């Protein structure tokens, strides 16, 4: 055993002060406030004089040291919490933002006019996605799903551009829009019956964004009647003439059809072929002359005298005479030429007042004489053409009495007046057979 002197320990509880519990209420959590801007520490105040320390009791020095250590630790704990709290908030914010960032990112499959790709986007709906990707859509374009549809990861979005098609279908022209990329797809989308149809472009041809012009003639049933035979065919011909040829019928010479040969054959149409043979005939036909009338005050009213006789002209007319399916048709004039121009007839028309009477002749029976000579007809002419009128004047005698032209062309009143003048000068002798009717 060591002979060193042993230190004697004081019994616990006799020397040390009893344990004092931690007063948490005095150091409660402080509110979150901005930290004050540090300022220069003020100069320390001069220390107040202290009284001399009293002599420590035995064993009291160690207990006091432990109590001071506890107070220092308790004082430093709120300061440590105050420093750690902002750092913890920053870490929590960054962790939450990263989670939201990852949650908003979506993997979407986008197809634009057949060009497909998968991309990541933060867009909330289809409209925002297309705007972010620079995809412009118009009123004729198709977007599936709709532009207002929301987006989720794994969604598929398809954009099909519209293309104008200037379609001539069975002769009817119109402009339509299609989202198909080939002629075949466009015909199917537009509901055009393409089986057996004529299509002006290859059905596999791709349609550009600016579109194309397309001529389509569907297959139709057409009946051809020719040479006593009837034949019904299926054809996509563009004209009636082509349909007739498809039926194996040949048009020759002047042959024609019941429908215009350049017209479009309709479904169910019946077309008759007309075999035509024709000749030409040339005929000479008269051209009527015109009549020119002039007033003449030397002639009694009602008297017309032809001073220049009219003469008809002559024209040569060419006619087409056709026979259709053995039936002769009405001739059709195709050409004419004037051989001789007509000559105008000139007529003088009397305007002079007729005298009312002739002295010594008014009381005679002139109607009886006229009835005997001409049957009472002012225009009567004898068989030889020498005598004419009511009283059968010859032209020489008539004109010697002041008459013009022929007596039968003068009015009845003038003829009676000239007959009275003749009676005054020669009596009843000019009418040897009927003069006795005058009763004079």
């Amino acid at each position: 055993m060591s002979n060193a002197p042993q230190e004697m320990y004081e019994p616990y509880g006799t020397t040390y002060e009893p344990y004092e519990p931690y007063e948490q209420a005095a150091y409660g959590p402080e509110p979150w406030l901005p930290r004050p801007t540090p300022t220069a520490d003020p100069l320390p105040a001069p220390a107040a004089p202290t009284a001399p320390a009293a002599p420590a009791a035995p064993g009291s020095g160690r207990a006091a040291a432990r109590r001071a250590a506890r107070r220092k630790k308790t004082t430093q704990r709120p300061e440590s919490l105050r420093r750690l709290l902002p750092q913890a908030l920053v870490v929590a914010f960054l962790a939450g933002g990263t989670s939201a960032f990852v949650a908003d990112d979506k993997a979407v499959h986008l197809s634009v006019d057949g060009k497909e790709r998968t991309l990541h986007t933060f867009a909330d709906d289809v409209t925002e996605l297309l705007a972010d990707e620079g995809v412009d859509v118009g009123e004729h374009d198709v977007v599936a799903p709709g532009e207002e549809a929301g987006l989720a990861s794994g969604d598929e979005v398809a954009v099909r551009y519209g293309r104008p098609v200037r379609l001539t279908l069975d002769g009817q022209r119109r402009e339509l829009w299609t989202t198909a990329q080939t002629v075949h797809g466009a015909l199917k989308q537009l509901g055009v019956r393409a089986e057996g149809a004529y299509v002006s472009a290859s059905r596999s041809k791709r349609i550009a964004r600016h579109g194309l012009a397309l001529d389509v003639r569907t297959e139709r049933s057409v009946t051809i009647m020719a040479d006593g035979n009837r034949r019904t065919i299926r054809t996509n011909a563009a004209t009636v003439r082509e349909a007739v040829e498809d039926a194996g019928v040949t048009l020759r010479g002047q042959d024609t059809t019941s429908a215009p040969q350049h017209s479009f054959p309709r479904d169910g149409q019946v077309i008759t072929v007309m075999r035509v043979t024709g000749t030409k005939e040339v005929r000479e036909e008269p051209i009527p002359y015109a009549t020119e009338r002039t007033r003449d005050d030397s002639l009694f009213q009602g008297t017309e005298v032809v001073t220049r006789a009219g003469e008809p002209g002559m024209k040569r007319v060419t006619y087409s005479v056709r026979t259709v399916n053995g039936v002769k048709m009405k001739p059709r004039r195709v050409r004419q030429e004037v051989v001789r121009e007509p000559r105008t007839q000139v007529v003088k028309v009397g305007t002079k007042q007729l005298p009312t009477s002739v002295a010594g002749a008014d009381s005679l029976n002139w109607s009886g004489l006229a009835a005997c000579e001409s049957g009472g007809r002012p225009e009567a002419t004898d068989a030889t053409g020498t005598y004419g009128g009511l009283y059968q004047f010859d032209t020489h005698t008539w004109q010697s009495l002041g008459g013009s032209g022929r007596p039968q062309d003068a009015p009845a009143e003038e003829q009676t007046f000239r007959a009275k003048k003749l009676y005054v000068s020669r009596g009843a002798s000019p009418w040897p057979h009927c003069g006795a009717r005058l009763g004079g």
Side-chain angles (χ1 to χ4, degrees):
M1 174 180 288
S2 172
N3 293 322
Q6 299 295 321
E7 184 178 3
M8 298 300 290
Y9 293 94
E10 297 177 358
Y12 180 80
T14 61
T15 304
Y16 298 96
E17 296 180 354
Y19 172 74
E20 298 177 0
Y22 173 68
E23 299 177 358
Q24 186 174 0
Y27 304 97
E30 297 181 358
W32 173 253
L33 296 174
R35 300 181 62 181
T37 305
T39 57
D41 294 335
L43 294 176
T50 59
S60 63
R62 293 181 181 179
R66 284 195 296 271
R67 286 195 297 272
R70 284 199 299 271
R71 292 191 185 98
K72 182 177 180 181
K73 183 176 181 181
T74 305
T75 304
Q76 291 177 348
R77 186 176 299 166
E79 182 67 23
S80 301
L81 291 173
R82 187 182 299 112
R83 291 178 180 177
L84 290 174
L85 183 59
Q87 298 175 6
L89 290 174
V90 171
V91 171
F93 173 77
L94 292 176
T98 302
S99 300
F101 180 86
V102 173
D104 285 343
D105 182 33
K106 308 174 187 68
V108 178
H109 185 79
L110 177 62
S111 173
V112 179
D113 227 22
K115 297 180 180 179
E116 302 183 3
R117 58 194 174 107
T118 300
L119 51 88
H120 288 264
T121 181
F122 295 99
D124 294 327
D125 54 32
V126 173
T127 299
E128 187 176 351
L129 170 66
L130 298 181
D132 291 346
E133 297 301 318
V135 179
D136 297 327
V137 293
E139 60 176 321
H140 299 291
D141 302 331
V142 174
V143 179
E147 297 183 50
E148 302 300 326
L151 285 179
S153 187
D155 282 352
E156 295 184 359
V157 177
V159 177
R160 296 192 296 274
Y161 290 128
R163 294 160 167 81
V165 177
R166 296 172 293 281
L167 177 64
T168 301
L169 178 61
D170 290 342
Q172 301 295 321
R173 296 182 180 180
R174 50 183 174 164
E175 183 163 321
L176 304 170
W177 287 82
T178 180
T179 56
Q181 297 184 7
T182 65
V183 170
H184 175 75
L187 294 176
K188 185 176 180 180
Q189 191 178 84
L190 297 175
V192 177
R193 180 169 50 86
E195 182 180 357
Y198 163 82
V199 182
S200 60
S202 171
R203 304 190 186 202
S204 62
K205 180 178 180 179
R206 296 189 65 82
I207 305 176
R209 288 285 302 278
H210 60 266
L212 84 166
L214 197 60
D215 185 11
V216 179
R217 299 193 299 270
T218 59
E219 192 175 60
R220 286 143 285 139
S221 175
V222 179
T223 300
I224 308 298
M225 305 283 292
D227 304 321
N229 299 318
R230 179 188 183 99
R231 182 179 180 187
T232 300
I233 61 171
R234 302 285 298 177
T235 180
N236 56 25
T239 64
V240 166
R241 186 179 184 91
E242 290 180 13
V244 170
E245 292 175 352
D246 289 348
V249 177
T250 302
L251 299 178
R252 298 181 295 271
Q254 300 181 46
D255 292 350
T256 186
T257 55
S258 57
Q261 297 183 36
H262 62 274
S263 63
F264 189 85
R266 304 181 307 275
D267 187 39
Q269 185 174 9
V270 178
I271 301 170
T272 302
V273 175
M274 294 180 286
R275 300 298 188 186
V276 179
T277 58
T279 59
K280 291 183 179 180
E281 293 182 0
V282 179
R283 306 174 187 174
E284 291 187 348
E285 300 177 355
I287 303 175
Y289 59 80
T291 299
E292 180 182 319
R293 300 178 182 273
T294 59
R295 298 167 65 87
D296 191 336
D297 57 6
S298 66
L299 300 175
F300 288 110
Q301 290 180 356
T303 302
E304 292 186 357
V305 177
V306 177
T307 59
R308 188 180 74 183
E311 184 178 341
M314 182 69 68
K315 60 182 178 182
R316 186 174 291 116
V317 183
T318 302
Y319 289 92
S320 173
V321 181
R322 297 197 312 166
T323 300
V324 178
N325 290 341
V327 179
K328 189 174 182 179
M329 310 302 291
K330 181 180 178 180
R332 181 172 59 91
R333 186 172 58 186
V334 295
R335 189 171 54 125
Q336 71 176 18
E337 58 178 336
V338 176
V339 177
R340 183 179 66 250
E341 294 288 349
R343 187 175 68 175
T344 302
Q345 179 170 275
V346 178
V347 178
K348 289 184 178 182
V349 180
T351 60
K352 184 180 179 180
Q353 279 296 103
L354 287 170
T356 58
S357 65
V358 175
D362 291 338
S363 61
L364 299 177
N365 185 13
W366 294 102
S367 60
L369 178 62
C372 180
E373 288 287 337
S374 62
R377 296 179 292 113
E379 72 283 358
T381 305
D382 75 335
T384 64
T386 304
Y387 302 97
L390 287 170
Y391 307 103
Q392 292 295 288
F393 288 104
D394 61 75
T395 303
H396 175 73
T397 302
W398 174 260
Q399 293 179 355
S400 67
L401 294 170
S404 299
R406 302 185 308 166
Q408 60 266 34
D409 295 331
E413 294 81 0
E414 183 181 357
Q415 292 184 36
T416 301
F417 173 72
R418 304 291 179 196
K420 290 179 179 181
K421 289 182 66 176
L422 180 61
Y423 176 81
V424 168
S425 63
R426 296 174 56 182
S429 60
W431 305 283
H433 300 288
C434 298
R437 298 290 184 92
L438 289 173

